[in-house]
Amino acid sequence: MVILTLLAMLAVMVLLAFFRSSIWGWLLAMVVFVFIIAIQSKLSADLFQVAIILLVLVIAVLGVPSLRRRLVSSQILKIFRKTLPHISQTEQEALDAGTVWWDGDLFSGHPDWRKLLNYPKPTLSAAEQSFLDNETETLCAMLDDWDITHVRQDLPPQVWQYIKDNGFFGMIIPKEYGGLEFSALAHSAVVAKLASRSITASVTVMVPNSLGPAELLMHYGTSKQKEKYLRGLAQGKEVPCFALTGPFAGSDAGSIPDYGIVCYGEFNGQSNVLGMRVTWEKRYITLAPVATLIGLAFKLYDPDGLLGGQTKRGITLALIPADTPGVQVGRRHFPLNSAFQNGPISGQGVFIPMEYIIGGMDRIGQGWRMLMECLAAGRSISLPACATGGVKLAARTCGAYSRVRKQFKLPIGKFEGVEEALARIGGNAYLMDAARALTAAAVDMGEKPSVISAIVKYHCTERARTVVNDAMDVHGGKGICLGPSNYLGRSHQQNPIAITVEGANILTRSLLIFGQGAIRSHPYVLKEIQAAQDSDTQRALLNFDAALLGHMSLSLSNAMRACLFGFTGGLGLSVPAGEKTRRYYRQLTRFSAAFALAADVSMLVLGGNLKRSEKISARLGDVLSQLYLCSATLKRFEDDGRPADDLPLLHWAIQDALYRIQIAFDGVLHNFPCRLSALLLRALIFPRGKYLTPPSDKLGHQVSVLLQQPGAARDRLTAGMYLPDDESDAVGALDAALHSTLQCEPLQAKVDAAHKAGQVTALGESMRIAETHQKGFINAEEAQLLERDYVLRRKAIMVDDFAPEQLVAAPSNLSDSER
């Protein structure tokens, strides 16, 4: 009897797990459940009849649409309308902006992995690859980051000119306007390569191709505006900036106090011109000190009714030439010793004509939506690329330095403490580059993934901080002494810039990722909200009923899937083939179902308070983020042809992310306000307890070894970074030193053996090599190799020193020839 009952209960779970799209699946499960109770409890005939009658009533109410709407959905709709938190206009526009892509699959609890893997492999065109290999390579070779950040606090004039002349400012602009019309993937690849050489250069190139005048004009500009400005922007004749942030409106950009008043005024010698007097105060504006064209966000008011309609017209965007009378470009900010041009900009009652509004008068009041739509794409590309480029540099140099640098007669990479840091560096680099490429590819497929853009912005910049900190620890004193030989110090200093801009990371994690995703990416929540806001009563009820029914079915299905797959580890799931990856797809499917369940319970129990439960929201966002990062990592492994050499990187990245998911879920459950709900969720999500562990020491050792020796896996991991072949360059010398060290190890062993035996007595290494050669233990060619190896290793580990006057930056009044 017990076995029969257990089998019947398992059948209920399977029905609920797999009949997610139909009410009849879970109504059938209810019938089975009643029979289980009847058999187990040995109900009398009368009680059994009562149970059947009640079950029939439930089926009638829920299964007959007209009865369900009248008795159930209408009542829930009333409650839903009362408890629905107020959504401001800016919040609504943010929700409406962008598209739902793979995040929708993850939110459903039923990710279609084959759909993900069938997306085209991210690939550059021949022209884009040529630009990366030639123009971008040349630009990188022109960059001396110490000269840029310490001596000049700016790019050299020849670099500025090269950037303008070769179309770096016009990568996203269509060819018809003189631009390069590159893909998002190419834009990302260029920024990443530049970031591996100079953050100043990467930011300078990144900003005109991200959220700013060019992108806004392409999407919303009038034909006249496009003709007037895009060609100049593409050719570098115009230098753009976009002014959004001000002293009293940072992350809450929708509260900008800057305003414009519709009025008549004089412009270019003409009187009685319809326009606006705009007053603004902005700060942190990249390229503002050198900009010729200013994009500006402000709130427009029409107190005299010159436009007709409302007085408050909403956030509006305009393009203003920097030489317009009244525009005040302030002095430069100095963000953490970075030399990219950044500063405040303001204006008091600056009169501009209506034709300066981006998109013309039809776009008045649509500025916030325009910004959100562009940000959804732009944030997906630039900052993740910048972070990934720096991480590739850290991975390449840390691996080489750990093999070249010796202490206690051993390469420091053989010490387990250093191995731990190297494993984090390698695993994070692999995962970040996968997320960068997949997200850029999504943009190229026409998506504007607003939730995913927040995920990659947050996690790429945060993981970059972790990687750079680890890299600094590995390099020790080499990392903390600034100078031409230091390739990490500026990255360590300037990493917080990326963490702060385009949505501070603290708020991105606690408010945006899950807060926006719970509404935007969920299969039914947005439909329920839209139905609740519909003034047509009958249509609202029909749409709400359909969404509610689907939502309930999905939630029950995910509850059973989470529990069932938590027990089995996902056994029985149909997932993509692959002996080494099958278990990961199963675990991710399990956690996707658990996440969807936890999200639904959180919204049901906390309601409007979820918006203020930022720590719960942040942890749920962590789960969603790790699910996406794992998806990107698996996609990369498949696209690369499942190279066996990359398996340590794949395993480390996925196992680390799965463990983070487990921690995030545990944090949600431990802190969930309703303890009964928390206990129920814990039983469903962790039916076997928390059994996942972080990557093992053995796996970390494998990743560490991979970073410390030349090979295809190391080259794939750092592909796309700038790697100078000049041994006078610090990075070039270090890479050459790695190859030399490995080549000379057998020869060095001969020298060490002769010294240990007392046959060679010289104390200094260079003299010891000479004596070993002189006594015939090595030949002339071998001695030459060892001498070169000594020179390269010495250059790799040495740091810079300066005369006092060299540590004073060049005065700003010096000409370029004097600097």
Side-chain angles (χ1 to χ4, degrees):
M1 185 66 70
V2 173
I3 294 175
L4 179 63
T5 302
L6 290 174
L7 288 174
M9 292 183 69
L10 180 60
V12 171
M13 294 180 70
V14 172
L15 283 169
L16 288 172
F18 293 101
F19 285 88
R20 69 184 179 96
S21 60
S22 170
I23 186 175
W24 299 108
W26 52 276
L27 287 178
L28 179 59
M30 290 174 64
V31 173
V32 175
F33 188 72
V34 167
F35 277 98
I36 292 172
I37 298 298
I39 294 170
Q40 182 68 18
S41 304
K42 299 179 181 179
L43 291 177
S44 66
D46 291 340
L47 288 177
F48 185 69
Q49 288 177 358
V50 171
I52 291 297
I53 291 171
L54 290 174
L55 182 60
V56 169
L57 288 174
V58 171
I59 292 175
V61 170
L62 297 179
V64 179
S66 58
L67 284 176
R68 184 180 65 244
R69 294 186 194 114
R70 185 175 181 180
L71 299 177
V72 180
S73 298
S74 61
Q75 301 306 311
I76 296 177
L77 178 57
K78 290 178 183 178
I79 298 172
F80 188 75
R81 280 173 167 160
K82 290 179 181 179
T83 58
L84 184 66
H86 172 70
I87 299 177
S88 67
Q89 181 181 350
T90 53
E91 287 177 317
Q92 187 63 54
E93 289 176 344
L95 289 173
D96 293 339
T99 59
V100 177
W101 186 54
W102 182 244
D103 46 320
D105 274 65
L106 297 175
F107 242 104
S108 74
H110 296 69
D112 184 348
W113 297 109
R114 290 177 178 83
K115 179 178 75 174
L116 175 71
L117 298 183
N118 285 335
Y119 288 129
K121 177 182 178 179
T123 307
L124 299 177
S125 69
E128 292 168 343
Q129 188 65 55
S130 175
F131 188 87
L132 193 67
D133 294 340
N134 294 287
E135 285 86 349
T136 310
E137 185 82 5
T138 299
L139 176 56
C140 287
M142 297 171 68
L143 301 171
D144 179 343
D145 200 51
W146 177 250
D147 176 66
I148 291 167
T149 58
H150 179 72
V151 179
R152 298 175 181 274
Q153 290 90 47
D154 193 6
L155 296 172
Q158 65 271 23
V159 170
W160 274 106
Q161 198 59 50
Y162 186 85
I163 288 172
K164 294 176 181 180
D165 291 346
N166 287 274
F168 282 89
F169 283 172
M171 288 192 292
I172 66 171
I173 296 175
K175 293 179 180 178
E176 63 180 299
Y177 298 107
L180 298 175
E181 201 173 343
F182 278 174
S183 64
L185 184 66
H187 171 193
S188 174
V190 170
V191 170
K193 189 165 193 172
L194 291 173
S196 69
R197 185 62 167 173
S198 166
I199 292 177
T200 299
S202 68
V203 172
T204 300
V205 169
M206 174 180 84
V207 169
N209 292 287
S210 300
L211 177 61
E215 187 171 14
L216 291 166
L217 283 169
M218 286 163 50
H219 290 292
Y220 311 107
T222 64
S223 298
K224 183 178 179 181
Q225 289 172 338
K226 291 177 181 179
E227 286 291 341
K228 182 175 181 180
Y229 293 118
L230 284 180
R231 200 170 300 279
L233 289 167
Q235 296 172 350
K237 295 178 180 178
E238 298 277 9
V239 177
C241 72
F242 189 82
L244 176 61
T245 302
F248 298 100
S251 296
D252 181 19
S255 66
I256 53 176
D258 313 287
Y259 61 90
I261 306 296
V262 179
C263 62
Y264 287 100
E266 184 176 333
F267 186 77
N268 283 347
Q270 293 185 344
S271 59
N272 209 34
V273 174
L274 181 63
M276 306 153 283
R277 291 204 175 274
V278 187
T279 296
W280 74 90
E281 182 183 18
K282 306 287 189 178
R283 63 177 181 178
Y284 309 150
I285 311 305
T286 300
L287 297 185
V290 294
T292 61
L293 188 62
I294 301 164
L296 182 69
F298 58 93
K299 291 180 178 176
L300 185 64
Y301 298 88
D302 183 18
D304 298 327
L306 300 180
L307 302 178
Q310 298 178 342
T311 297
K312 297 180 179 180
R313 305 308 295 260
I315 295 176
T316 301
L317 309 181
L319 279 182
I320 306 174
D323 59 2
T324 301
V327 173
Q328 298 177 359
V329 177
R331 299 184 299 176
R332 287 178 61 181
H333 298 313
F334 193 31
L336 294 176
N337 276 67
S338 184
F340 63 84
Q341 295 284 334
N342 184 279
I345 192 166
S346 61
Q348 184 73 33
V350 177
F351 183 81
I352 58 174
M354 284 292 175
E355 65 188 46
Y356 279 14
I357 294 174
I358 298 176
M361 294 177 64
D362 290 341
R363 291 288 181 179
I364 288 175
Q366 297 184 30
W368 189 245
R369 182 184 180 90
M370 293 158 64
L371 289 173
M372 290 300 99
E373 289 179 345
C374 288
L375 187 62
R379 188 164 54 183
S380 303
I381 301 166
S382 298
L383 291 173
C386 197
T388 303
V391 165
K392 288 184 178 185
L393 172 67
R396 186 95 184 182
T397 55
C398 279
Y401 190 79
S402 296
R403 193 66 185 79
V404 169
R405 174 67 164 160
K406 292 184 178 181
Q407 291 290 276
F408 306 102
K409 299 182 180 180
L410 283 175
I412 62 172
K414 293 187 179 295
F415 292 95
E416 291 189 354
V418 175
E419 278 191 351
E420 281 189 325
L422 290 175
R424 287 192 294 267
I425 291 170
N428 280 317
Y430 187 80
L431 177 144
M432 288 171 59
D433 200 31
R436 173 197 69 83
L438 179 62
T439 308
V443 175
D444 286 328
M445 288 187 283
E447 301 291 341
K448 294 182 179 179
S450 54
V451 175
I452 288 175
S453 72
I455 290 173
V456 292
K457 187 271 177 181
Y458 173 82
H459 285 277
C460 283
T461 55
E462 285 294 338
R463 286 173 182 257
R465 171 154 55 184
T466 298
V467 166
V468 172
N469 284 344
D470 279 333
M472 292 291 287
D473 288 348
V474 169
H475 279 72
K478 170 74 174 178
I480 64 174
C481 291
L482 292 174
S485 300
N486 190 320
Y487 36 78
L488 290 175
R490 292 305 193 201
S491 293
H492 183 257
Q493 281 184 305
Q494 295 161 18
N495 188 260
I497 299 172
I499 285 168
T500 300
V501 301
E502 291 192 19
N505 274 11
I506 288 178
L507 296 184
T508 298
R509 175 175 178 261
S510 60
L511 292 178
L512 287 184
I513 295 175
F514 179 77
Q516 190 173 9
I519 299 175
R520 193 73 182 87
S521 304
H522 193 285
Y524 297 107
V525 169
L526 185 58
K527 296 176 183 177
E528 291 166 340
I529 292 175
Q530 290 170 339
Q533 294 173 335
D534 194 343
S535 58
D536 186 317
T537 305
Q538 188 62 30
R539 184 175 61 201
L541 181 57
L542 285 171
N543 291 337
F544 185 80
D545 174 72
L548 179 64
L549 184 63
H551 196 158
M552 292 170 62
S553 300
L554 183 64
S555 295
L556 283 169
S557 171
N558 282 326
M560 293 303 101
R561 286 165 64 84
C563 186
L564 182 63
F565 300 149
F567 266 121
T568 66
L571 288 177
L573 277 170
S574 176
V575 296
E579 180 184 352
K580 303 296 185 181
T581 57
R582 188 181 295 114
R583 57 181 168 138
Y584 296 142
Y585 288 110
R586 288 171 175 164
Q587 284 286 359
L588 291 170
T589 301
R590 166 212 170 186
F591 278 135
S592 175
F595 167 72
L597 172 65
D600 282 339
V601 172
S602 298
M603 288 186 279
L604 176 64
V605 174
L606 299 178
N609 290 325
L610 181 58
K611 186 176 179 180
R612 293 177 289 277
S613 302
E614 296 177 21
K615 296 174 185 176
I616 297 294
S617 179
R619 294 184 183 104
L620 288 170
D622 290 343
V623 175
L624 177 62
S625 298
Q626 300 303 330
L627 289 171
Y628 178 73
L629 296 174
C630 284
S631 302
T633 304
L634 289 166
K635 166 72 169 163
R636 171 185 181 163
F637 184 70
E638 294 291 336
D639 285 344
D640 287 347
R642 302 179 184 176
D645 290 348
D646 289 0
L647 279 171
L649 296 167
L650 173 79
H651 289 319
W652 196 99
I654 299 291
Q655 291 175 25
D656 174 71
L658 288 173
Y659 184 67
R660 292 187 190 210
I661 290 175
Q662 182 175 269
I663 291 174
F665 267 132
D666 189 52
V668 170
L669 301 174
H670 183 73
N671 294 280
F672 203 75
C674 178
R675 298 314 303 155
L676 181 61
S677 298
L679 289 172
L680 177 61
L681 281 173
R682 188 175 290 278
L684 292 171
I685 295 174
F686 296 122
R688 290 169 49 194
K690 302 187 298 294
Y691 57 83
L692 294 177
T693 60
S696 67
D697 292 346
K698 181 180 179 181
L699 180 57
H701 170 75
Q702 293 171 358
V703 175
S704 170
V705 170
L706 184 151
L707 261 64
Q708 294 180 71
Q709 59 188 23
R714 181 172 181 259
D715 289 341
R716 279 191 297 271
L717 182 66
T718 59
M721 67 167 282
Y722 176 66
L723 186 59
D725 56 9
D726 181 3
E727 293 181 7
S728 66
D729 180 277
V731 176
L734 178 58
D735 217 57
L738 173 63
H739 287 80
S740 175
T741 295
L742 296 175
Q743 180 185 12
C744 290
E745 274 188 346
L747 305 180
Q748 189 65 52
K750 292 182 181 180
V751 176
D752 292 342
H755 179 67
K756 187 176 182 179
Q759 296 168 313
V760 173
T761 58
L763 297 179
E765 182 171 350
S766 185
M767 291 185 293
R768 193 176 300 160
I769 293 170
E771 185 180 350
T772 305
H773 172 224
Q774 183 182 4
K775 292 185 176 180
F777 295 108
I778 57 175
N779 60 36
E781 183 181 353
E782 291 171 332
Q784 193 174 24
L785 287 173
L786 284 169
E787 283 289 357
R788 176 177 177 272
D789 179 60
Y790 172 70
V791 171
L792 287 172
R793 284 188 291 109
R794 177 177 171 79
K795 181 172 179 58
I797 64 176
M798 291 300 289
V799 299
D800 300 292
D801 54 84
F802 305 91
E805 61 272 13
Q806 290 178 293
L807 296 177
V808 179
S812 58
N813 60 348
L814 291 182
S815 67
D816 289 316
S817 61
E818 294 175 305
R819 293 190 180 199

